[in-house]
Amino acid sequence: CAHYDHLGAIGDSVYFPGANDNASGVAMLLALAEYFQNHPIPNYNLVFAAFSGEEEGLAGSTYFVKKTRIDLSQVRFLINFDMVASGENGVIAVCGKNFPEEYRILKRINRKLGMGPLGARKNKAISDHFPFIEKGVKGFYLYTKDGKQPYHSTRDVPATLEWEDFQHVFELSKQFVLQL
């Protein structure tokens, strides 16, 4: 999943483009959807969901969890993408400390790819993964760490995105899904 809203604007004169937060997450979602459409996984259904209202308190994902027709107990794993194109210091997996078995898989893949450090944090209500985790779904919120990309800034524009970091998260996520 990813959120397609962004911070937006302050008044009529200050606009926040939202290239990294979170057009990059939506682009990741679409890139993975295209890959898995062309390379289906036998015996699994993959759901790709884009939410609005993340910046307003996780409104879209919270609504989805409350109203979904999907049996959440059948969800193997959720990956939430938010700010995935700016990370000079690797990738962080929020909930990596909550789900150590899956984090070991992610870490092993990351080591094989040789694309920088992978960190883990405990669950926190900071993006769209949170309502799912609260309902018992295992998952990670992946984001790239410490890039030059400005966070919640008027300078969050496409020219500041770091596409090598985006590719790293794509490969890491793709391989993770294939190994689950």
Side-chain angles (χ1 to χ4, degrees), residues 41-52:
I41 301 173
N43 303 320
Y44 280 99
N45 292 314
L46 299 177
V47 175
F48 296 87
F51 302 115
S52 185

Side-chain angles (χ1 to χ4, degrees), residues 65 71-79 95 99 129-140:
V65 165
D71 180 356
L72 295 178
S73 71
Q74 297 297 308
V75 175
R76 170 68 179 98
F77 208 83
L78 173 123
I79 305 173
C95 293
F99 306 113
H129 69 290
F130 188 77
F132 291 90
I133 305 303
E134 291 291 290
K135 290 292 186 181
V137 174
K138 291 181 179 183
F140 294 143

Side-chain angles (χ1 to χ4, degrees), residues 16-22 149-150 152-158 160-161:
F16 295 87
N20 196 36
D21 186 13
N22 190 35
Q149 170 51 357
H152 283 175
S153 167
T154 57
R155 296 181 320 271
D156 184 0
V157 296
T160 61
L161 298 178

Side-chain angles (χ1 to χ4, degrees), residues 30-77:
L30 295 172
L32 286 165
E34 180 180 42
Y35 176 83
F36 285 112
Q37 178 182 9
N38 295 322
H39 304 89
I41 301 173
N43 303 320
Y44 280 99
N45 292 314
L46 299 177
V47 175
F48 296 87
F51 302 115
S52 185
E54 190 264 2
E55 300 288 359
E56 301 296 325
L58 313 179
S61 56
T62 298
Y63 181 86
F64 181 88
V65 165
K66 287 180 182 176
K67 300 292 186 176
T68 187
R69 293 181 182 187
I70 295 171
D71 180 356
L72 295 178
S73 71
Q74 297 297 308
V75 175
R76 170 68 179 98
F77 208 83

Side-chain angles (χ1 to χ4, degrees), residues 36 76-79 101-107 109 139-140 142 170-180:
F36 285 112
R76 170 68 179 98
F77 208 83
L78 173 123
I79 305 173
E101 180 181 327
E102 289 82 0
Y103 180 71
R104 279 191 289 279
I105 295 168
L106 194 69
K107 195 167 187 169
I109 295 165
F140 294 143
L142 297 180
F170 176 84
E171 286 299 324
L172 180 65
S173 303
K174 177 183 80 174
Q175 293 298 322
F176 180 73
V177 168
L178 291 170
Q179 290 187 33
L180 282 178

